[in-house]
Amino acid sequence: MTPPEHYGPVVHDWPLVPLPRTDFDPVPHRLLHEEPVARIRLPHGEGHAWLVTRYEDVKQVTSDPRLSRARTVGRPIPSTTPHTLAPPGGVGRADPPDHTRLRRLVAPAFGRRRMTVLRERTERTAGALALRTLDAGPPADIAETFVGPLSATVVAELLGIPAADLGRVQEWRGGLLSHDTTAEEGESVKKEIAGYFAGLARRRAEHPADDLVSELAAARAAGHLSTPELVSLAVMLTLNGLDAVRNIVSTMVYVLLTHPDQTAKLRTEPGRLPRAVDELFRYIPQRGGVGMPRVATADIEVGGVTIRADEAVHVFYPAANRDPAVYNEPDRLDLGRDEAPHLAFGHGAHYCAGAQLARMEAEVMLGTLLTRFPGLALAVPPDRIAWRAGAVNRGPETLPVTW
Ligand code: HEM
């Protein structure tokens, strides 16, 4: 008997087309409902990998120590970008005990004391930027005049990047966080940025200041981490602080302005803001494609499927955030929702190191906009807004608003 054409395991192509607004990527959405543990092919890398989309399965995979990040190094695993964003030795590609050591080194930077100081400064800067935008008069591109500069100031403050260097860092960010950057271009940008942070760390080792690069430089001098580890931590924190925050908070503003009834309620009850911010993190599919994979070190059962030792596994957190087994009407925004913690910041040992910072920035920015701009509205019809294409972090190119 001739086997049917799909004889053998079905592998789904995930072509990664640019998506506007907060439209959910149709491939992982379909797989979440039809085949929650599926084999996929992506535009880059070789062969196939597993894609896990359901909430409980994603939690299982990301908390199982038998799935390794270190084992991804040097393997052409299917991926969203032609170059690997995270260098070997970086926090995202390390397993315990290296991973635990690196996370302990950055933890104080996001501790309560630092966060209180940063929140005060963020509020002050937000107030000043809001005033400047108000003075210049409508319309304004709020991503460019408010969200972008604020997230850049916060990350510069956290790491100790001199303001004069931010322009250069922003250019590197554009080069690295694009799906279109070739492997060679990616490598050359990574070299430049590595040289920059190695230089900054040298200067801070001689003249320490109250910032994270100074702390990491001291830890390196004490033998607690290597120069490549220091550089990769600094790069990861900088890129996330600049790109992820700018894009998701701009998208949050867009979502609020296109859901006026829910936003009106939020204005009258500002105490609901923290919960609303978490619902926005759940609802917005921030990531274009998947992040870093994991490699199984043993045969593992996930959602009734056996993943064999040495196979690569991707999770897609935005899909887990839309799992109907966990969220009632998951594709609907509900700023008062209180069902289960979302997975937008990941889960398990690699849970986002900057989650508290990102939450704080989003709260301060949205809170400031809602109170200082009572008549805030989009300055153009929603379908005229251009959305970034081929970017790791999705978001609006510009966000023209009026008030
Ligand atoms: C603004 C929205 C942000 C979102 C949605 C986000 C989301 C995530 C996700 C999904 C992961 C990966 C989890 C995994 O590997 O399984 C991650 C990791 C990470 N994020 Fe964020 N992040 C954001 C902002 C930030 C900020 C502001 C920083 C720091 C300034 C940051 C620093 C990191 C670091 C260092 C890791 C690696 C953690 C590890 O591998 O142990 N992120 N983030």
Side-chain angles (χ1 to χ4, degrees), residues 69 91-92 99 103 236-237 240 294 317 344-345 350 352 354 358:
R69 275 288 175 70
V91 69
H99 180 255
R103 286 295 297 252
M236 178 115 183
L237 295 167
N240 277 308
R294 292 166 168 81
Y317 293 116
F345 292 116
H350 289 275
C352 177

Side-chain angles (χ1 to χ4, degrees), residues 95-105:
D95 291 334
D98 288 336
H99 180 255
T100 325
R101 170 175 53 84
L102 293 172
R103 286 295 297 252
R104 282 206 185 118
L105 288 171

Side-chain angles (χ1 to χ4, degrees), residues 62 69 90-94 99 103 106 110 155 158-159 233 236-246 248-249 281 286-287 291-292 294 315 317 343-355 357-359 361 393:
T62 50
R69 275 288 175 70
V91 69
R93 300 184 85 188
H99 180 255
R103 286 295 297 252
V106 291
F110 299 98
V155 87
L158 177 75
L159 277 108
L233 270 178
M236 178 115 183
L237 295 167
T238 307
L239 296 182
N240 277 308
L242 290 176
D243 207 71
V245 176
R246 182 263 182 215
I248 202 162
V249 177
F281 274 116
Q286 153 85 347
R287 191 83 208 199
M292 261 178 289
R294 292 166 168 81
V315 297
Y317 293 116
L343 301 183
F345 292 116
H347 183 75
H350 289 275
Y351 180 79
C352 177
L357 178 68
R359 272 204 184 91
E361 288 190 61
N393 292 307

Side-chain angles (χ1 to χ4, degrees), residues 38-97:
R39 291 179 166 90
I40 54 154
R41 239 186 322 260
L42 285 161
H44 306 283
E46 289 167 20
H48 64 258
W50 291 98
L51 181 71
V52 177
T53 42
R54 264 194 321 218
Y55 188 91
E56 288 302 334
D57 295 344
V58 166
K59 277 175 66 174
Q60 182 200 330
V61 163
T62 50
S63 47
D64 189 332
R66 295 172 301 166
L67 284 144
S68 159
R69 275 288 175 70
R71 295 251 190 132
T72 63
V73 175
R75 293 181 48 159
I77 296 172
S79 73
T80 306
T81 51
H83 57 284
T84 312
L85 285 174
V91 69
R93 300 184 85 188
D95 291 334

Side-chain angles (χ1 to χ4, degrees), residues 321-360:
N321 285 339
R322 300 289 187 104
D323 186 339
V326 177
Y327 301 103
N328 185 29
E329 288 189 74
D331 296 328
R332 197 172 65 82
L333 177 80
D334 174 0
L335 293 181
R337 194 187 281 280
D338 186 20
E339 284 149 326
H342 63 75
L343 301 183
F345 292 116
H347 183 75
H350 289 275
Y351 180 79
C352 177
Q356 286 315 324
L357 178 68
R359 272 204 184 91
M360 179 278 278

